[in-house]
Structures are given as structure tokens and as C-alpha cells.
Amino acid sequence: MPLEVRAGRVSIDPRDPRFYSDPYPAYAALREAGPLVHWDELGYPCLTRHADVNAALRDRRLGRQILHVATREELGWAPPSPTLAPFLAFEEHSLLELEPPRHTRLRSFVNTAFLPRRVDHLRPRIAALAHALLDEIPRDSEFDLLERYATPIPVLVIADFLGVPREQAPQLLAWSHDMVAIYQVRRGPDVERRTVAATQEFSAYIRELIARKRREPADDFLSHLVDARDAQGERMSEDELVTTAILLLNAGHEATVHAIGNGVLALLRASRNPAREFLARPAEHCEEMLRFDAPLHLFTRFALCDMELAGRRFAKGERVGLLLAAANRDPERFAEPERFDPTRSPNPHLSFGAGIHVCVGAPLARLELQVALEVLFERLPRLALAAEPRWRDTWHFHGLEALHLRG
Ligand code: HEM
């Protein structure tokens, strides 16, 4: 698509299919134009290069939140939409949206739960689930990998982990999709209403589940959280418990689904013998899949004080975009970045972020991706594309509508 960066500004409609179907040529143009480019449709400047995005993720002068150090009036912000009030109240307890010291405290409750040695025992269960899903697919037929495989695995794994009954999976998916829809660029009042309704219903469901876990604790993470204490010996409040459980359930599957879909597509396009190559180096393939076509492309930060970033002054409260997926293709950091190359080592992609908000679920996501694809390629060694896939109109949740394959 034609793209012109003039005086450090660019106009790209994130909902233009020519952009979201393949945003990488646009990212290359942005990186070449400079380390910081003002994106008109987003309304803020974005960092485009690996070194700067990596440094910004770790820079404590930047925060995901600003309202802990400035009021809306000071920032010149309009009052929040009253429709959204219940969602904003929910987010007040989300560690993803908080800065220290509240972030540190809430993160301490979940920090160790997803360490590699803790999640590794889930390997046989994930493999069993993957086999069961493939058993359901008729032999030699075409199937949609996203619907039949990539979508159910992460939601069932995270539901089991927290102790949410598996029958709830379709409802968890529906609530989660309605909640994350709020992050899309240019959303209407309909989206806000759906997000709020989903937040309220999901919260009510989790409150009841928490009450059940209090009465009858089980061997699951929600039962553990209900009873866990922080360094001061204090438990989580009811609202903190609800938000944390929902955050883990939503974050626990939305991105992993598309890591599987985007990863399989990248490998099938890049390799003549995908199954053999994947099975020879599964971990390295997964890292390259995450670098090559990450499911999450953009996160933002606020300047917590007046500061300089990539040669520009930022006033306290100004926003900056971090283009993780542009950083992942930076030729200054990765040789031949447009090539899918699982032998690259090291592979310091930024798909899980970095710094204090680095993805807490990364070890689980890596395990799910690896086990799901090992089982897939062992069972279906001749896997091939059955149709050219279409991308979803959700850009920064970069993923496919469907991925039709032949086994
Ligand atoms: C391939 C799949 C995944 C990707 C690409 C991904 C990516 C990310 C990224 C980039 C962040 C940092 C956001 C920021 O810096 O503003 C993040 C945070 C987070 N992720 Fe993931 N994630 C994935 C899977 C998961 C899973 C499976 C879980 C849960 C088990 C999870 C839970 C979280 C949570 C709770 C946070 C917030 C951490 C904090 O703010 O301290 N993610 N994720």
C-alpha cells in the first residue's frame, strides 16, 4: 500500500485490509523514516526500532498507567465515558494496568505460578488434549486449524489451571472476545456496551466460583489465590481476586490462539518439509514463529515525568506507542529479518514484552505452542495449506479469521 512519512508523521488506517493483512512493509518504511514516527490515526508517536522499543519497555520513567501520578484535569483529559465506568472499575485492580507499588504486590501473587518448572508438569495434559482434538477431525479431510485446534487448546488449558469447569469454555471465549474488543482502534458505543456487559457477567460468575473455592478448595490456582498472602501477610481483596482471575483467563488464551495460527502459517509458507524441520528443532521454531509474526503488535506507555525519548521531548502524561512487531523485524538486530529462520541464535524478539510488565504467562504460552505443534506435526506430517487464509480486522491482535489445512 502507498505510504508516505512526511516530517516524522504518517497516516495509516489500521483497519485497511492492505495494511493489517501484511503490516510488515509499512513497519519497514516506518523504521527507515526514523526511530519515532507520529501515527495520525493513533494520535501519538510510535517507537519503531528494536533498541528503542526494548529500552522503553524497561524504562521506569514510562508507565502503563498515568492516573497514579496525575489527575485527569491536570492532563486535560475529558471525563471517562459513563457507560464504561464498570469496566474501568474492574481495570483498577488489573496488574496489567497498574504501576508499582500496586503492580509489584499483585504480580507477586502470580509471579511464580507460571515459571517453566511449575508449568512443565502440564505437558502430558496438553498433549492428551491435543490428541483428543485431532481424533475428532475426520481423516483426509480439510479442517480449520483455528476453530478445531488453536482456539480450544489455550482456553481449556487455562481453565483447568485456574479450576474453571471445562464446560464453561465457550462462555469464557465469548466474554473474553467482548472484553478485549475495547482495545481496538476506532470503536463505537456498541463495543463499549458489549464490553461492560461481558465484564459484569464474567465478574459475577467468578465471584460465585470464588465462593465455591472458599467452601471446597481444590488443587487449582484459584483455590490457591483465595488463600495466598503477600509479603505483608495480607490476602487479595475480593475485587483483586476477580480481576486477576479474569485477566489470567483472557490473557491466557487470546494471544496463544494466534501464536499457533500465525506460526503454522509462517512455517508452511517458509518450508518444503515443515513437519520434519519443526520436529527436529521445536523450541527454536517456536521462538522464530513468535518473532516472525507475533500476535500482539502494539502496546503503549505514558511518560511519568517530563523526559526525552529517541531524541524528542515528552511532557508528563504524553503517550508513546511501542511497535513490538516492527522491532522484531529490525535489520539492525536480526540478520535478514524478513526470512523465517529457526536457526537464528540468539533470538531476542520482543513478542512477550520486557521489563516489569513482561508476560507472566510466557513459559505457559511457549509450552502450549510447542506441545500443540509437536502433536500436530507428528500426527499430520503432510500438513499443507488448503486455502489462502484471510486476516482478521483487529490489527494489534494480529491473527487469522481461519486457517484451512489438509492433513
Ligand atoms: C503467545 C502468547 C502470548 C503473548 C504473545 C503474550 C504477550 C504479552 C505481552 C507483550 C505482555 C506485556 C504487555 C506490556 O508490556 O504492556 C503480556 C503481559 C501479560 N500476559 Fe501475556 N502473552 C501471551 C500469553 C499469555 C498467557 C498464556 C498468559 C496467562 C497464563 C498471559 C498473561 C499475561 C499477564 C497476566 C500479563 C500482564 C503482566 C504485567 O502487567 O505484569 N499471557 N503478555
Side-chain angles (χ1 to χ4, degrees), residues 106-377:
L106 282 178
R107 183 143 174 153
S108 74
F109 286 103
V110 295
N111 236 347
T112 53
F114 298 98
L115 290 177
R117 63 185 154 78
R118 286 281 179 89
V119 292
D120 206 51
H121 76 274
L122 297 174
R123 184 178 280 274
R125 294 184 70 168
I126 302 172
L129 175 59
H131 279 290
L133 290 166
L134 291 180
D135 289 344
E136 295 291 308
I137 298 173
R139 286 210 152 267
D140 304 320
S141 71
E142 269 184 36
F143 66 99
D144 175 5
L145 184 84
L146 283 196
E147 185 197 339
R148 306 293 293 261
Y149 198 68
T151 300
I153 291 177
V155 69
L156 292 171
V157 169
I158 194 71
D160 280 359
F161 185 86
L162 273 139
V164 179
R166 278 193 174 189
E167 320 72 89
Q168 282 297 326
Q171 181 61 76
L172 298 180
L173 288 173
W175 281 329
S176 169
H177 294 334
D178 281 350
M179 287 182 76
V180 300
I182 200 72
Y183 300 115
Q184 73 200 26
V185 188
R186 280 203 270 130
R187 54 176 203 247
D190 263 17
V191 170
E192 292 191 358
R193 272 194 293 275
R194 276 214 316 274
T195 295
V196 166
T199 307
Q200 288 171 322
E201 286 171 28
F202 204 166
S203 300
Y205 173 76
I206 294 293
R207 265 177 223 286
E208 240 175 66
L209 192 62
I210 288 169
R212 214 184 311 154
K213 301 287 176 192
R214 284 215 168 92
R215 285 196 307 272
E216 305 154 25
D219 183 17
D220 56 49
F221 192 58
L222 196 51
S223 301
H224 161 82
L225 273 188
V226 162
D227 218 29
R229 289 168 193 270
D230 64 15
Q232 277 65 48
E234 294 196 4
R235 290 203 173 93
M236 292 172 105
S237 72
E238 186 84 1
D239 286 342
E240 287 172 343
L241 272 172
V242 171
T243 300
T244 305
I246 293 179
L247 172 67
L248 290 175
L249 285 164
N250 290 355
H253 68 84
E254 287 286 350
T256 315
V257 171
H258 296 295
I260 297 174
N262 299 1
V264 169
L265 176 64
L267 177 61
L268 293 182
R269 281 182 170 162
S271 164
R272 288 225 194 120
N273 204 331
R276 203 178 60 201
E277 286 177 17
F278 181 87
L279 294 171
R281 302 166 164 262
E284 293 87 341
H285 272 80
C286 291
E287 290 312 297
E288 181 64 350
M289 288 171 171
L290 288 161
R291 179 196 74 85
F292 188 79
D293 208 6
L296 303 172
H297 284 198
L298 170 74
F299 284 92
T300 61
R301 294 291 188 266
F302 293 104
L304 299 179
C305 55
D306 294 344
M307 62 183 288
E308 199 178 303
L309 203 58
R312 175 188 180 281
R313 297 291 310 160
F314 277 77
K316 179 177 174 181
E318 265 191 274
R319 203 182 256 248
V320 61
L322 315 182
L323 285 169
L324 306 186
N328 282 348
R329 298 271 189 118
D330 185 349
E332 290 285 314
R333 192 67 191 83
F334 300 97
E336 291 188 78
E338 310 298 336
R339 196 159 72 85
F340 182 86
D341 176 10
T343 66
R344 56 179 86 241
S345 171
N347 191 344
H349 65 74
L350 295 176
S351 301
F352 288 118
I356 64 166
H357 289 285
V358 67
C359 180
V360 76
L364 177 59
R366 286 187 158 110
L367 182 70
E368 289 179 69
L369 185 61
Q370 188 173 328
V371 175
L373 298 195
E374 277 171 358
V375 173
L376 182 72
F377 286 118

